[in-house]
Amino acid sequence: MLHLKSLLALLLLSTQLPSYAQNTDSVFVRENYTKIERSIPMRDGVKLFTSIYIPKDQTKKYPLLINRTPYTVAPYGEDKYKTSLGNFPAMMREGFIFVYQDVRGRWMSEGTFDDIRPQVVNKRSKKDIDESTDTYDTIDWLVKNVKNNNGKAGIYGISYPGFYATTSLPAAHPALKAVSPQAPVTDWFIGDDFHHNGVLFAMDAFSFMTTFGVPRPKPITPEKGPNSFRFPIQDSYRFYLETGSVKNLKEKYLADSIRFWNNLFKHPNLDTFWKARTILPHLTNVKPAVMVVGGFFDAEDAYGTFATYKAIEKQNPSANNILVAGPWFHGGWVRSAGSKFGDIEFGQPTSTYYQENFELPFFKHYLKSNTDFNVAEANVFVTGSNEWKKFSAWPPKETMLKTLYLQPNGRLSFEKVQRTDSWDEYVSDPNSPVPYQNGVQAKRSREYMIDDQRFAAQRPDVKVYQTEALAEDITLTGPVLANLVVSTTGSDADYVVKLIDVYPEDAPNPTPNPNNIIMGGYEMLVRAEIMRGKYRNSFEKPEPIVPGEITNINYALPDVAHTFKKGHRMMVQIQNSWFPIADRNPQKFMDIYQADPGDFQKATHRIFHDRSNASSLTLTILK
């Protein structure tokens, strides 16, 4: 999730447009839509502030297109208009009744806000509310009270609003016909935003919650809201390292003012608090058409995209549920042209293609019934080969699992190691953690998800393994499984596995090349993920690692769709810190939220790659 001020700016202008286009769109909104504001009553009496933009052309009826958000429906006032409507201008020009709602407890809505509010399974009275009931009541009011609607509603949202789109599905209102969760917040302990496999993503959690998490005693507008936190040290690596620990972040800067931060300390492991905030088990009996959208290089909610799609598929075999995934950063499918990301070019405007061929036709088909929508079950852009592919399932049925083995002397091969007693040994020092990206950054970059990894390969505490130049293309479509066989002198450790595409030395530089990028030998990050060792057997019941004992660390990396081209190499990097996006592990078994700076200690690690203890990756390869 983005920093709040950045999010507000993006929500006010959902796509990056030249100024003349912004002005044209702003004029279009005023000339073609009438804005009204209403406080819609929920079943428990709480009223939710809602801005409604109604087409002035009343010669036909229009569907409702709803966006429920914790990030404000600004601007407020019936005479103050958004500069564009919908996810991109073509939606606005198509004509819908656009509805924007401050969710319960945020901005101008009444009630109490709860982060990723738990579902109430057994509702016994009108006081038993959740985001599903609020959505139902909103749609019910809109259908009955907004003139000239055609009785059909759709919902969309990116990131946190994507979560609210997902929550519309359980016990959905009969008028709800089309839902598009896009990079939806789904599980804040396993893989989205603030935790990955139990590891706190401290940089995102702290920068976001220092503003978003500030209590709101009564309804307010953004100009009266909290200011962004002012970092005393602009270099994020230095700021988090010199603060000393997650505990110190709380004591120095937050005290007990941020409820979410307090809950991190109360719930360090996967318990009922986190389980209640996972929407996936409740995605049953899904009736509306669903289009789940996300980016493979989304730094915030790549996990949620694929987890949401797979849960609906598994729990609703007959549901009308499709997936669209592309080479995008968080929201990149509507916030960029999608022709490139970071240093990597895709050869086509993938976002424009998505908007024209997926999102707009999806809502037109199910809400207006005036267009065909013949798309595949899974519509995926494969990087490397830079092509859209259509599959009847995700992961595709036409795949095979193949094991890629770590080898002695930094080699990587599909052939299993035949040697005995083979390992690499090195020292990891949490007081000198491996940076997540080269250079100095004030804020967490989004490009780290795809950036050159040559800087990390130069460190002695990053172990590097690579294949020979490939004799043919290899395309991965699906999850990557890390199967590490390790030991450590400590009683806990984090493990970061990175899958990398190494370009040949004669790879041409981009033209133009203002940043002087050297593509020869470029190490493009395809996928990376972290795992906390104490959670290797259970996220609910952490266990210490026995010092010196050979231990298996097995976990899944988020799905990928990438072709390693002929002449390229496949590389794996393994490290024990990923800083400061991930909080540091003191390398001893303890509640890390209670760690003091003196608890962080060096440890000697071994990665085994022999006949009996073969570290490997399991790849999902397209046949």
Side-chain angles (χ1 to χ4, degrees):
M1 303 174 79
L2 298 169
H3 194 277
L4 185 58
K5 296 296 184 183
S6 301
L7 264 166
L8 296 181
L10 283 168
L11 285 157
L12 292 173
L13 179 63
S14 64
T15 184
Q16 297 173 351
L17 297 168
S19 59
Y20 71 85
Q22 295 178 26
N23 294 334
T24 301
D25 290 341
S26 181
V27 170
F28 186 91
V29 176
R30 287 183 174 274
E31 290 183 347
N32 292 275
Y33 288 86
T34 299
K35 180 186 179 184
I36 62 174
E37 295 179 338
R38 298 291 184 268
S39 291
I40 299 179
M42 300 294 103
R43 64 190 64 186
D44 63 345
V46 168
K47 294 180 179 179
L48 304 189
F49 188 93
T50 309
S51 293
I52 306 167
Y53 294 78
I54 305 170
K56 290 182 178 180
D57 178 6
Q58 295 288 291
T59 61
K60 53 187 175 182
K61 294 182 182 295
Y62 299 89
L64 301 154
L65 195 51
I66 303 165
N67 183 272
R68 303 185 67 241
T69 178
Y71 298 134
T72 175
V73 303
Y76 295 90
E78 292 187 341
D79 62 334
K80 296 179 174 61
Y81 282 63
K82 288 182 176 291
T83 56
S84 188
L85 301 175
N87 254 352
F88 45 90
M91 295 178 73
M92 170 184 67
R93 295 175 185 276
E94 170 62 30
F96 297 90
I97 299 172
F98 289 96
V99 179
Y100 297 89
Q101 185 176 77
D102 287 334
V103 297
R104 181 181 292 254
R106 294 294 294 176
W107 302 104
M108 289 299 289
S109 283
E110 297 176 353
T112 301
F113 179 73
D114 196 355
D115 270 305
I116 43 178
R117 188 186 303 276
Q119 292 291 111
V120 179
V121 177
N122 298 311
K123 297 178 175 70
R124 295 171 180 163
S125 74
K126 292 183 178 180
K127 292 183 179 180
D128 292 329
I129 59 88
D130 51 30
E131 300 303 339
S132 297
T133 63
D134 281 358
T135 307
Y136 188 103
D137 294 349
T138 296
I139 295 174
D140 200 60
W141 187 94
L142 291 168
V143 170
K144 294 174 181 177
N145 291 277
V146 176
K147 295 180 180 179
N148 230 39
N149 78 80
N150 70 356
K152 296 180 180 181
I155 294 182
Y156 71 97
I158 299 171
S159 193
Y160 221 143
F163 163 75
Y164 295 110
T166 304
T167 60
S168 72
L169 293 170
H173 192 283
L176 184 60
K177 303 300 182 183
V179 177
S180 184
Q182 302 177 12
V185 169
T186 302
D187 192 322
W188 269 0
F189 192 85
I190 298 299
D192 285 318
D193 293 306
F194 303 141
H195 285 99
H196 286 225
N197 292 316
V199 180
L200 176 68
F201 266 42
M203 195 175 182
D204 277 9
F206 182 79
S207 63
F208 182 79
M209 283 297 172
T210 48
T211 303
F212 183 86
V214 173
R216 182 216 69 166
K218 62 180 181 179
I220 57 173
T221 52
E223 62 270 15
K224 298 178 182 178
N227 294 318
S228 297
F229 177 78
R230 298 190 62 154
F231 286 84
I233 299 174
Q234 294 301 301
D235 179 349
S236 60
Y237 186 97
R238 282 186 52 223
F239 170 75
Y240 288 98
L241 190 61
E242 292 180 19
T243 299
S245 66
V246 174
K247 178 182 176 182
N248 283 1
L249 279 174
K250 184 177 188 295
E251 292 178 353
K252 288 183 178 181
Y253 302 112
L254 303 176
D256 291 322
S257 64
I258 307 296
R259 184 176 63 167
F260 176 80
W261 205 259
N262 296 337
N263 282 327
L264 291 176
F265 283 73
K266 293 177 183 177
H267 307 280
N269 306 318
L270 181 60
D271 59 13
T272 54
F273 175 84
W274 297 111
K275 291 178 181 178
R277 285 164 171 75
T278 302
I279 187 66
L280 298 178
H282 307 285
L283 299 179
T284 58
N285 197 28
V286 170
K287 300 296 185 184
V290 183
M291 181 175 71
V292 184
V293 181
F296 286 104
F297 302 110
D298 183 341
E300 286 110 290
D301 298 305
Y303 172 88
T305 297
F306 296 102
T308 299
Y309 168 77
K310 291 175 183 178
I312 295 173
E313 284 295 294
K314 181 178 179 180
Q315 295 160 194
N316 307 267
S318 61
N320 183 358
N321 174 47
I322 65 170
L323 173 70
V324 184
W328 302 308
F329 58 84
H330 194 58
W333 46 97
V334 296
R335 296 170 181 164
S336 72
S339 299
K340 64 174 296 185
F341 182 38
D343 300 325
I344 306 302
E345 299 190 8
F346 307 129
Q348 57 187 286
T350 61
S351 301
T352 305
Y353 182 88
Y354 159 77
Q355 294 164 24
E356 294 176 350
N357 292 277
F358 295 108
E359 184 162 344
L360 186 56
F362 172 75
F363 285 117
K364 286 174 64 176
H365 178 75
Y366 290 107
L367 302 184
K368 292 188 171 186
S369 303
N370 66 351
T371 185
D372 292 332
F373 187 61
N374 299 314
V375 299
E377 173 73 15
N379 309 272
V380 175
F381 187 85
V382 180
T383 50
S385 57
N386 290 343
E387 57 185 335
W388 283 98
K389 285 188 173 292
K390 300 178 180 180
F391 300 109
S392 61
W394 185 264
K397 296 176 181 178
E398 52 273 33
T399 59
M400 60 181 178
L401 297 180
K402 201 167 183 180
T403 303
L404 186 63
Y405 293 97
L406 277 58
Q407 308 273 344
N409 303 313
R411 295 181 61 250
L412 195 61
S413 172
F414 289 106
E415 301 296 325
K416 191 170 183 179
V417 182
Q418 297 303 315
R419 286 179 52 176
T420 59
D421 298 327
S422 178
W423 64 80
D424 289 313
E425 184 175 284
Y426 60 99
V427 174
S428 174
D429 182 359
N431 292 304
S432 180
V434 180
Y436 77 102
Q437 191 174 24
N438 196 26
V440 176
Q441 295 89 31
K443 299 178 181 179
R444 193 264 296 140
S445 80
R446 60 193 184 193
E447 288 79 11
Y448 88 89
M449 293 288 291
I450 199 171
D451 253 2
D452 191 354
Q453 299 299 302
R454 282 178 283 197
F455 77 97
Q458 298 170 2
R459 288 182 58 116
D461 53 354
V462 177
K463 305 316 294 180
V464 180
Y465 306 87
Q466 65 177 331
T467 65
E468 299 295 330
L470 298 177
E472 59 184 7
D473 291 359
I474 296 178
T475 298
L476 307 188
T477 49
V480 175
L481 304 178
N483 317 295
L484 302 183
V485 185
V486 299
S487 70
T488 176
T489 57
S491 53
D492 192 15
D494 290 342
Y495 294 90
V496 180
V497 172
K498 299 189 290 192
L499 179 63
I500 295 162
D501 184 344
V502 183
Y503 282 52
E505 292 300 334
D506 60 356
N509 294 333
T511 303
N513 190 12
N515 297 321
N516 297 314
I517 304 299
I518 299 174
M519 295 306 296
Y522 193 97
E523 297 176 5
M524 170 193 167
L525 184 60
V526 174
R527 179 61 76 222
E529 189 57 287
I530 191 169
M531 179 71 191
R532 184 143 284 170
K534 67 181 181 181
Y535 294 129
R536 66 197 181 280
N537 295 322
S538 170
F539 289 110
E540 294 92 340
K541 298 178 180 179
E543 303 172 30
I545 296 173
V546 178
E549 184 174 290
I550 295 177
T551 304
N552 293 95
I553 307 289
N554 301 321
Y555 65 101
L557 285 67
D559 293 17
V560 300
H562 182 77
T563 297
F564 293 82
K565 299 291 288 181
K566 177 181 177 181
H568 289 225
R569 298 171 185 259
M570 304 177 78
M571 175 183 283
V572 172
Q573 291 183 5
I574 299 175
Q575 58 201 56
N576 301 97
S577 53
W578 206 16
F579 192 75
I581 54 170
D583 73 322
R584 295 175 299 149
N585 192 317
Q587 302 193 127
K588 64 180 179 181
F589 183 74
M590 65 179 302
D591 179 354
I592 295 178
Y593 290 99
Q594 301 304 321
D596 292 313
D599 289 318
F600 294 86
Q601 62 187 21
K602 294 181 181 180
T604 300
H605 298 269
R606 287 182 176 181
I607 301 172
F608 291 86
H609 36 63
D610 59 42
R611 188 187 309 167
S612 301
N613 302 295
S615 295
S616 65
L617 267 63
T618 303
L619 306 178
T620 307
I621 297 179
L622 190 64
K623 295 179 182 177

